[in-house]
Amino acid sequence: MNILLQNWEFPPFDQIKTEDYEPAIRAAIEEAERNVEAIATSTEEPTFENTVEALETASRRLDRVSAIMMNLNECCTSKELQDTVMKMEPLMTRFSMKVVTDKRLYERVKRVAENFKNTEYSEKKTLLDNTLKGFVRHGVALPDEERNRFKRNAEELSELQVLFGQNALADLNEWRLLLTSEEELDGLPSAVRDAAHEEAVAQGTEGWLFTLAAPSYVPFMTYSVRRDLREKMYRAYGSIGGRGNEHDNNKVIKRIVELRTEQARLLGFKTYCDYVLEDRMVQNLPNLCRFMQELKESVLPAARKDLAEVQHAAKEEQQLMPWDFSYYAEQIKQQRYNLDSEILRPYFPLESVREGIFGLYGRLYGLRFDEDRNIPVYHEDVHVYRVSDGKREMGILYLDMHSRPSKRSGAWMTEFRGQYGDVRPQIQVVCNFSKPTADTPALLRFSEVETFMHEMGHAMHGMLSDVQYESLSGTNVKRDFVEMPSQVMENWCYEPEFLATFARHYQTGEPLPTEYVEKIRASQNHMAGWLCLRQLNLGFTDIAFHTMSDTSDLLDSADFKAENIEVQAMTNLLPRVPGCCTATNFSHIFGGGYASGYYGYKWAEVLDADIFSRFKHDGIFNHDTAEAFRREILSRGGTEQPSVLFKNFMGRDPDSKALLRRMNLIN
Ligand SMILES: [Zn+2]
């Protein structure tokens, strides 16, 4: 029998074969469809248990099997697995769309809601509200014709989003910069050169090959002395998705925006932004605009100051261009802080960092992490820990830390199983750190230490969850709240007391020198005003596209009205380069789920800066404060509005000035 369809406590990675997925997914969908059909056709009076709770658990087997397949496709994929996912994903989407657009189910859930009219708050009420909202926001309450239209649009949209990403990727991969003489490499650190050389060799050529992928593009723009080459790279990057070839995204964007606007209008919203924000912590467009404008006003002077400084450093250039900024900003950083990220690495061997982070969670929440080598893994690099709080087992943590060709880039946290009732979560953290060599352990850059802390923040949000329903557990919170528990953990990386617990030279055992700690702290706000304005620029661009009153305004060329004079004049302090366009490569909003949500990064940053101020005040290892954070926020998942959770912990509403204070822009 198919191993995936049997009952197991831990995902049976050691027994799964790729060909098991398709039959397992098909069987699990059929089972889920039977469960859902039984709810829809039930002759019993609708109750919370036989309707809402039954829907919550109807596809549990499918959820488990698909979690394994989808998670492994990200971190340990193969051609066969990719093909399987391509084939299975539409089936899974069709199933979930079928559920949320089923009128019979909707009518039953509505009946249940009538009985909860007078309930102020309960976890059940939240699950019920979410379920009902899920139906309404997918158009179930619309007249037949409009409902079908909504469904068709949704299908077209999901195809267009995939197409957008594929187009951008094709353009990205098509362009290469092959350098053949040493002088063209001027300024590039040896690690960057080596990587470029390896890339060239891999492509069967000589010299040094640079691409537009982040690990190649970013260091090149940061370190290359050659302004002409930086310009070349910048122009190539800026034209991704807008080169007028068969991968051009301009028409795709136009259609996506048209469809999203129509979806919102079908549901009675003025704009797509209004539709999205109704289900977010920020609640509505006026709130969001106020937040963005205020933040912009506050950081603009700092951003201008950063620019003036960079312009000063670049005195030989008459007019600073976008391809100059990172380079000169880095020059200033090195002069001012004399802080080469390579110097820090020996103090951050992966194992020590991991023990440091485990130790922090020990001090904060009394957690213990015990490795268990008997739990199956999907790759030999994966380590599995049983997490307990001294009294009971809290869950399982899979750490998968190193790069490999079968893993996509980036770092993330995900789950094989979420917490509900007495069932404890199984959580995975995936990173792309370099591997140890024969004589050197894996050494992390400081930014990688931050990344590890960030993902562990998500992981502990899932681990410390204590709710009744899986769809409300852990990180299943409003999208603009989910980065708070992860971002807040990054703050500890800048605390000398925490660094002192684990940062030691891997050869000499010498603790991280105080002067380095000081420099790390001092450099925390390097060009922060500028970077914040850049994020705001992207956020405003996102909003502009999704608040258009008339989509016929959209042109068929790269210079969209939305990426227009207004947004640029407000938030872009460098000259605009003709032929370069953010939108045609803005995968966050056109290729994925961040549409009208890009602001969320900044929104969550305000919250995390504010939350950390309490830890700073009470002591960064204060057990009582941590317990309160766990009780009021982490354990509650999405069972209650984030604004309520926040207030329960802080005793007040968020302070919009918290981020500015951390950036040292105000006292
Ligand atoms: Zn995150």
Side-chain angles (χ1 to χ4, degrees), residues 181-201:
S181 73
E182 289 264 354
E183 50 154 11
E184 291 171 312
L185 306 175
D186 204 5
L188 299 175
S190 58
V192 177
R193 294 177 186 212
D194 291 349
H197 179 65
E198 274 173 33
E199 184 79 34
V201 172

Side-chain angles (χ1 to χ4, degrees), residues 582-601:
T582 307
T584 51
N585 187 28
F586 201 170
S587 296
H588 272 86
I589 66 165
F590 294 121
Y594 275 83
S596 301
Y598 200 84
Y599 75 91
Y601 290 105

Side-chain angles (χ1 to χ4, degrees), residues 411-413 454-455 458 482-483 486-487 490 594 601:
W412 61 94
M413 162 272 183
H454 178 102
E455 298 311 331
H458 284 309
V482 74
E483 294 300 324
S486 52
Q487 285 179 183
E490 294 175 31
Y594 275 83
Y601 290 105

Side-chain angles (χ1 to χ4, degrees), residues 36 59 63 76 90 219 226 262 297 313 427 440 514 518 522 525 531 567 587 595 642 655 663:
V36 170
S59 58
D63 296 343
C76 201
R226 289 284 299 265
E262 191 182 350
E297 294 302 328
I427 291 168
T440 320
T514 328
E518 289 304 321
N525 285 322
L531 294 172
V567 170
S587 296
D655 175 1
M663 290 167 76

